[in-house]
Amino acid sequence: MSTAASLHQSRKRKNAVMMALCVIAAGIGLAWLALILGALIYKGLSGVSLSVFTEMTPPPGDAGGLLNAIYGSIIMTIIGILVGTPIGVLAGTYMAEYGRFSRLTTVVRFINDILLSAPSIIVGLFVYELLVRPMGHFSAIAGAVALSILVIPVVVRTTEDMLNLVPNALREAGTAIGAPRWVVIRSVAYRAALSGIVTGILLAIARISGETAPLLFTALNNQFWSSNLNAPMASLPVTIFQFALSPYEEWQQLAWTGALIITLTVLGLSIFARSLTGRREDR
C-alpha cells in the first residue's frame, strides 16, 4: 500500500472516530433534555386546568391556581422589555453605526459582555441596594428594573451584530441620494436588520421570563392579587421556587404546572425567533 493510500485510510479512521464521539456527545445532551422535558410534561400536564388560569395561589393544603403569579410575571416582563429594549437598541446602534472603531465602543462592548454573563442574582442585589432599601419595601417596579437590566445586554449584542451584517452598499446608496445619516439608519439599516433585532428582543423575553433570583430581592412575592406596582407582586418563577420547596402536594403540583407553562412559553418564543432568522436568511 502506498504512503498516500495509508494516509487516506488513517484520516478516514480518525474522522470516523471523531464523528462517532460527536454523535455520542450530542445524543447524551439530547437524552438529558428529553428526560427533563418528559418529566416536566408528565408531572406538569396533569395539573393543567382552567382553575390554574382563573384562581389565585392557594393557602397551604388547599387547591387553587396561578392567576396572580401569571399576571405579575407578564406585567414585570412587559415593563422590563419596554425599559430595556430602547436602551439596548440605541446602544447597539451607536456601537454599529457611529462609534464602530471608537475606544468608547470597545469599553461598552466589554462591559456589555460582562453583564451578559453575570449571574442574575448580582443584578438582583444591585437593584435591592439601589431601589428596595431606599424605598423601604419590595415592589414590582424594582423587579421590572432588575429584569430590564438583564434585557439590555442581550438586545445590545443582537442589535450591534445585526447592524454590522447590513452591507455598507445599502448605506452608501441612501447617502448618495442625499438622505441624512439618521434617515439612512432608520429607513435602511433598521429595515434590513429588523428580523434580527426582533429575534434578540424575543430571546431577551425568553431569558427574563424564568428568572427567579433577581425577583427574590426586588419584587419578593404576594399570595394575593395585586396590581400596585409600588408593592410586592407575585411572579411565576418565585411562586414555583416557593411551592416546589413546600411539603404540600397541591403546591408541588402547581409548581410543576407553572414550570411547564414557562417552558412552553420559552420554547414557543425560541421557535418563533428561529423562524424569523430563517426568513431573513431566505431573503
Side-chain angles (χ1 to χ4, degrees):
M1 184 181 293
S2 64
T3 304
S6 176
L7 181 61
H8 177 68
Q9 291 297 326
S10 174
R11 288 177 175 175
K12 286 184 64 177
R13 286 193 296 270
K14 291 179 180 178
N15 179 70
V17 170
M18 293 306 299
M19 183 66 70
L21 291 175
C22 290
V23 171
I24 292 172
I28 292 173
L30 290 175
W32 283 111
L33 178 61
L35 286 173
I36 293 172
L37 289 177
L40 192 60
I41 293 173
Y42 175 75
K43 294 189 175 182
L45 198 60
S46 60
V48 176
S49 63
L50 185 62
S51 62
V52 172
F53 304 96
T54 58
E55 297 182 12
M56 306 296 137
T57 49
D62 199 0
L66 297 169
L67 177 60
N68 54 329
I70 295 173
Y71 171 79
S73 289
I74 292 174
I75 292 298
M76 286 187 283
T77 299
I78 290 176
I79 296 176
I81 290 295
L82 291 178
V83 173
T85 297
I87 298 174
V89 170
L90 292 175
T93 301
Y94 170 80
M95 295 165 66
E97 299 291 339
Y98 291 99
R100 184 175 297 188
F101 304 106
S102 69
R103 186 172 299 178
L104 177 61
T105 296
T106 303
V107 174
V108 172
R109 187 180 295 115
F110 176 73
I111 296 174
N112 189 74
D113 290 341
I114 293 175
L115 286 174
L116 201 59
S117 58
S120 59
I121 192 171
I122 295 178
V123 175
L125 288 171
F126 170 74
V127 177
Y128 175 84
E129 291 292 333
L130 183 68
L131 292 178
V132 176
R133 285 192 64 184
M135 293 170 64
H137 57 84
F138 298 97
S139 66
I141 295 176
V145 170
L147 295 181
S148 68
I149 294 176
L150 295 173
V151 166
I152 290 172
V154 178
V155 178
V156 169
R157 169 57 64 86
T158 53
T159 301
E160 182 191 9
D161 290 345
M162 292 302 104
L163 289 176
N164 284 334
L165 292 176
V166 177
N168 284 327
L170 294 178
R171 299 182 178 88
E172 293 169 357
T175 305
I177 61 175
R181 190 167 188 178
W182 67 271
V183 174
V184 173
I185 293 172
R186 184 195 64 186
S187 302
V188 178
Y190 278 168
R191 183 168 297 182
L194 180 61
S195 62
I197 296 174
V198 173
T199 299
I201 296 171
L202 293 175
L203 293 176
I205 296 173
R207 180 190 177 184
I208 66 174
S209 62
E211 288 291 349
T212 305
L215 297 181
L216 281 171
F217 290 95
T218 53
L220 196 60
N221 199 10
N222 196 331
Q223 289 293 108
F224 307 100
W225 177 274
S226 175
S227 57
N228 183 6
L229 298 179
N230 198 33
M233 182 176 285
S235 62
L236 265 180
V238 177
T239 301
I240 292 169
F241 172 74
Q242 293 181 347
F243 282 14
L245 296 178
S246 71
Y248 308 107
E249 292 185 3
E250 293 84 1
W251 280 18
Q252 292 174 3
Q253 181 59 62
L254 283 174
W256 281 108
T257 304
L260 179 63
I261 292 172
I262 289 180
T263 302
L264 293 179
T265 302
V266 171
L267 286 176
L269 288 173
S270 299
I271 293 172
F272 184 59
R274 286 183 177 274
S275 68
L276 286 179
T277 305
R279 291 174 189 172
R280 183 182 184 279
E281 291 176 352
D282 293 339
R283 292 174 185 174

